[in-house]
Amino acid sequence: MYASYEIFEDADRHAHALAGWEQRYDQIGEGAFRSAVKQVSMAGVQVFQETANVRVVQRGQLPAGYVTFGLVLGGGAPFSFQGVKVDGNGMVAAPGAREFLLHSPANMSLLGIAIESDKLEAAADAAGVDIKHELLGQHVLSIPGAAGARAGRRIVTTVEAVLADPHAFSSSDGPQNFANAVTDSILELLTFHVPSREDRLTYACRSDIVRRAHDLVLARPEQPVSILDLCERLRVSRRTVQNSFQSVTQMNPLSYLRAIRLAQVRRLLTATPQSEVPVREAAMRWGFSNLGHFASDYKSLFGELPSQTQRAR
């Protein structure tokens, strides 16, 4: 596992800080250079979030053996990757061992994700996502801006969780949980470019898929269930999982399963006194390691902070 957060005042030092990348950054915007890089690498997945205050030209070679993705988090103007405009409605997607040219604007914030090709292929097969080689050759894929923003926030949150407590991800399951969370977010965006397949499942079958997913959450309270977990354990494709939840619950799978875990935390809080089970412990028991995000999600669902929930006496 490798995790770091660094601040730079020189473009070359910034470029060299990205582990495993052969590249050069040329500053072309005026002003003193200021930048930062947050990066985490484990279990065949590398994620980095980079920011810089001035316009930069990035040239180099994409890591061999990986498929690289990029999501725009912010910038004073669109990016340009291999001559194609990239903004909030686009995602960089390119196979490794190829030269690249990226123009990044002033005040840019970019999320880069490199996933081992074999790992991405295995995850896609398990999820029923057919990734064609020609798809990645397009360099930039159009995606719904809202979906890209959600995926970006999820990945950034995962990276920040590792940086805040690296030891929590050093366990046997930690690296794979990190890799699954990132890969799952990317596959969700790639599904927008997978042709729809006719879904002949009955409503009863879809309901059964939702029920079994619900049971999985209750059986693994301390470990959140990802979409990849559902696909592998239920032996169905990602699209089937998504269609089933949308049909039965009118919610996406992750939102539904998060609500189920939040409901279990609330039940635990109302059934126990604060002195016996503090809010932090209750959240951790149901897989919420980031208390800030937990409190925000809890308030959104129940209209009050967990600290305001009436406890048993």
Side-chain angles (χ1 to χ4, degrees):
M1 180 181 80
Y2 177 77
S4 70
Y5 176 29
E6 299 177 272
I7 298 175
F8 302 96
E9 297 182 352
D10 178 82
D12 282 334
R13 295 186 65 183
H14 177 133
H16 295 155
L18 293 172
W21 285 69
E22 298 180 11
Q23 58 184 351
R24 183 182 69 221
Y25 284 19
D26 291 325
Q27 176 182 340
I28 58 174
E30 296 181 349
F33 185 85
R34 298 287 187 275
S35 71
V37 175
K38 299 177 182 178
Q39 61 178 317
V40 173
S41 180
M42 65 176 89
V45 174
Q46 179 190 22
V47 180
F48 59 88
Q49 180 187 359
E50 57 179 343
T51 61
N53 64 326
V54 298
R55 181 175 289 275
V56 173
V57 179
Q58 307 179 20
R59 302 181 69 108
Q61 188 168 26
L62 298 172
Y66 288 76
V67 180
T68 299
F69 302 92
L71 290 171
V72 172
L73 301 180
F79 290 68
S80 172
F81 180 75
Q82 304 296 69
V84 181
K85 184 177 75 171
V86 192
D87 55 19
N89 296 307
M91 176 175 68
V92 170
R98 294 188 179 184
E99 292 186 355
F100 74 92
L101 174 64
L102 173 69
H103 287 263
S104 58
N107 301 316
M108 72 92 159
S109 180
L110 179 69
L111 188 63
I113 303 100
I115 304 174
E116 286 183 351
S117 301
D118 292 344
K119 177 177 286 292
L120 180 65
E121 183 177 351
D125 287 343
V129 179
D130 187 15
I131 302 177
K132 300 292 187 182
H133 181 74
E134 296 79 8
L135 181 66
L136 301 179
Q138 297 179 31
H139 303 311
V140 178
L141 303 177
S142 61
I143 58 173
R150 286 195 301 270
R153 285 195 297 269
R154 286 198 298 269
I155 295 174
V156 168
T157 297
T158 303
V159 169
E160 290 178 343
V162 176
L163 293 176
D165 188 6
H167 296 296
F169 288 83
S170 60
S171 66
S172 58
D173 293 333
Q176 195 57 51
N177 290 340
F178 169 83
N180 285 347
V182 175
T183 303
D184 185 65
S185 295
I186 293 300
L187 286 177
E188 185 173 333
L189 296 178
L190 288 175
T191 58
F192 289 105
H193 290 270
V194 176
S196 299
R197 301 171 184 173
E198 185 176 1
D199 187 353
R200 294 191 173 94
L201 288 181
T202 65
Y203 188 85
C205 289
R206 294 173 181 172
S207 296
D208 186 62
I209 288 173
V210 173
R211 178 191 61 78
R212 288 190 288 154
H214 192 134
D215 289 344
L216 278 176
V217 171
L218 299 181
R220 301 167 57 184
E222 296 182 358
Q223 186 175 0
V225 178
S226 70
I227 299 297
L228 287 180
D229 289 332
L230 292 179
C231 294
E232 292 174 357
R233 290 175 176 270
L234 303 182
R235 298 181 181 277
V236 295
S237 71
R238 168 186 292 268
R239 189 172 296 278
T240 296
V241 169
Q242 292 174 328
N243 288 345
S244 295
F245 272 85
Q246 187 61 43
S247 175
V248 176
T249 73
Q250 290 76 56
M251 298 173 67
N252 68 63
L254 292 180
S255 295
Y256 177 88
L257 298 179
R258 185 187 306 114
I260 294 301
R261 291 190 294 125
L262 287 168
Q264 308 316 307
V265 175
R266 183 177 180 82
R267 181 172 291 113
L268 180 58
L269 292 178
T270 58
T272 58
Q274 168 69 22
S275 59
E276 182 179 328
V277 182
V279 170
R280 177 184 179 87
E281 181 180 341
M284 295 292 287
R285 285 188 188 183
W286 283 97
F288 294 101
S289 57
N290 188 311
L291 292 185
H293 289 287
F294 159 71
S296 176
D297 291 340
Y298 189 99
K299 184 176 182 181
S300 294
L301 186 60
F302 300 118
E304 64 181 14
L305 292 170
S307 58
Q308 297 171 325
T309 295
Q310 185 171 357
R311 306 296 300 269
R313 296 180 182 274

